[in-house]
């Protein structure tokens, strides 16, 4: 995997290539330690203990519905966190993804008060700020497949059209999730999925997804698969059936 970091004053966008879709699943796609605020292991600083409890809580509160937002502790030692599982994963896969993601990201971002990690099956985020209900477009990651689309001039607009249609469906659905297929011909289909974290309103989910879809040409132009993942919503599309119907 090659990775390049691009920073603008507003957003951090990380670009990388997904060489093989089979490589992922149990490993993070990407993780970001998103603040320089840190905590300590001193007795008078319970942030780390609260964070550990919060992550433990998320790992069992998330699977039944696929989403959980919570916080633990008091005032300045209070972490806020969320976990979101992909709309089609089982409770068991959801739970194991959140456990793995929460433990991995806390090790990777040791002592940072805020962090986010994206896996194939889940996303986990925490912060010392109450971010509930706010669109997070600060943390943005692009990923695309290595394979070129055979006919990019028709493929790209079709992919965006599918994603926009899915975004409308997700916004109206309780799970803020939608997956679907667009047939391009006899043997070629595009499989897509979109999802938002459920602390967002329907309108904010829609606007997060629309903004993410606008990044598709920049992210994944001409590629057979692509993803734009933010702290509040993401999309993915491929030419193979990666999502359970
Ligand atoms: C995360 O915390 C470490 C240790 O305090 C610090 O060196 C690093 O700069 C922090 N990361 C970010 C993104 O600020
Ligand atoms: C946390 O940051 C403070 C200053 O912002 C620094 O003095 C301290 O060493 C950092 N602690 C860790 C564990 O990195
Ligand atoms: C976090 O913010 C949300 C939305 O503003 C609010 O409803 C909630 O009560 C806040 N939670 C805490 C623990 O402050
Ligand atoms: C995809 O197209 C680019 C530019 O046309 C080319 O450099 C690259 O080698 C192609 N990749 C594959 C896997 O065919």
């Amino acid at each position: 995997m090659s990775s390049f970091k691009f920073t603008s004053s507003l957003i951090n966008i990380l670009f990388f290539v997904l060489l093989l879709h089979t490589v992922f699943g149990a490993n993070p796609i990407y993780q970001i330690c998103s603040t320089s605020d840190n905590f300590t292991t001193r007795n008078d600083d319970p942030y780390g203990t609260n964070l550990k409890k919060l992550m433990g809580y998320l790992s069992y509160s998330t699977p039944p519905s696929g989403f959980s937002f919570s916080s633990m502790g008091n005032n300045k030692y209070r972490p806020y966190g969320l976990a979101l599982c992909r709309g089609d994963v089982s409770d068991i896969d959801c739970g194991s993804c959140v456990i793995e993601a929460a433990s991995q990201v806390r090790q990777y971002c040791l002592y940072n008060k805020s962090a986010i990690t994206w896996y194939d099956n889940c996303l986990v985020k925490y912060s010392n700020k109450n971010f509930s209900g706010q669109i997070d477009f600060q943390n943005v990651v692009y990923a695309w497949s290595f394979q070129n689309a055979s006919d990019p001039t028709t493929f790209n607009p079709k992919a965006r059209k599918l994603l926009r249609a899915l975004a409308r469906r997700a916004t109206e659905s309780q799970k803020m999730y939608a997956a679907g297929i667009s047939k391009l011909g006899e043997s070629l289909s595009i499989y897509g999925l979109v999802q938002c974290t459920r602390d967002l309103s329907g309108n904010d989910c829609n606007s997060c997804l629309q903004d993410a879809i606008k990044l598709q040409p920049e992210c994944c132009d001409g590629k057979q698969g692509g993803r734009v993942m933010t702290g509040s919503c993401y999309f993915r599309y491929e030419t193979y059936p990666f999502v359970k119907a």
Side-chain angles (χ1 to χ4, degrees), residues 31 35 54 58 72 74 84 129 145 213 216:
Q31 39 201 354
T35 178
L54 174 62
L58 291 181
M72 203 68 74
N74 291 312
L84 174 72
K129 309 255 158 51
S145 73
I213 294 164
Q216 189 266 355

Side-chain angles (χ1 to χ4, degrees), residues 36 38-40 111:
S36 55
N38 61 38
F39 60 89
T40 63
Y111 306 126

